[in-house]
Amino acid sequence: SMTSLTDAAQRREHTRNVALDWLACGLDPQQAVLWRQSDLPGVTELAWMLGTLAPMGLLERAHSYKDKVAKGISPNFGLFAYPVLMAADILMFNAHRVPVGKDQAQHIEMARDVAQRFNHTFGKGQDFFVLPEASIDQEMELLPGLDGRKMSKSYDNVIPLFEGGAKALREAIARIVTDSRLPGEPKETEGSHLVQIYDAFATPAQRQAFRE
């Protein structure tokens, strides 16, 4: 099942849980800023301005949009224009490098494209916005979810690190899609969703030991 786009209580709970997860994983609020996008109206205001410079063809080529529609999410303007909102998120703070998964690299390129158009149109010879670059972890380009698709609350295929305790964690891990080989049969580690998820938490030494 997919997360409801209109369930406000569920969205608020997700927002709170994301903040708690980051803090529990060691994010230091003295070194980083945690903020909620909806608390800053300037983001959506900028998104509208950037949207006037975003060609329809550019948005129609978004892999993420096409993938979600193909997987059954009903297309709407919010989904279609999501890369513009993401661009506003990035450009408002003049971010130079943006850590993303491989699937979001195209969105960073779209943000650069829109920023260039804005600079050219309104910059009067100066760059108003910094052109961001994607920073992708080469060892963990894309984290698969329980069903093999990219891990996302939209697909309800995430591992609840701090929700429900050890029992919920075991149940989630047990739902990870594997191949049809029997439990006792040797399995390939390359391309295995289970191994990719393990790699996200393991140290380099643990990864090597697991493969040996």
Side-chain angles (χ1 to χ4, degrees), residues 64-128:
S64 179
Y65 171 74
K66 292 189 289 187
D67 179 65
K68 281 183 168 57
V69 172
K71 287 181 169 61
I73 294 181
S74 180
N76 56 54
F77 175 75
L79 182 63
F80 184 69
Y82 172 75
V84 180
L85 181 62
M86 183 174 172
D89 255 341
I90 295 165
L91 300 178
M92 174 165 281
F93 303 102
N94 278 329
H96 290 73
R97 298 184 67 80
V98 185
V100 292
K102 187 178 181 180
D103 62 313
Q104 293 293 318
Q106 184 193 34
H107 284 179
I108 305 302
E109 287 302 315
M110 294 168 81
R112 286 176 61 89
D113 186 288
V114 173
Q116 284 179 315
R117 290 170 186 269
F118 192 101
N119 289 344
H120 177 74
T121 305
F122 302 112
K124 297 179 180 178
Q126 296 184 341
D127 284 346
F128 192 84

Side-chain angles (χ1 to χ4, degrees), residues 26 79 107 112 133 135 163 173 193 206:
L79 182 63
H107 284 179
R112 286 176 61 89
E133 294 183 12
S135 179
E163 299 171 33
I173 292 171
H193 302 141
Q206 287 172 327

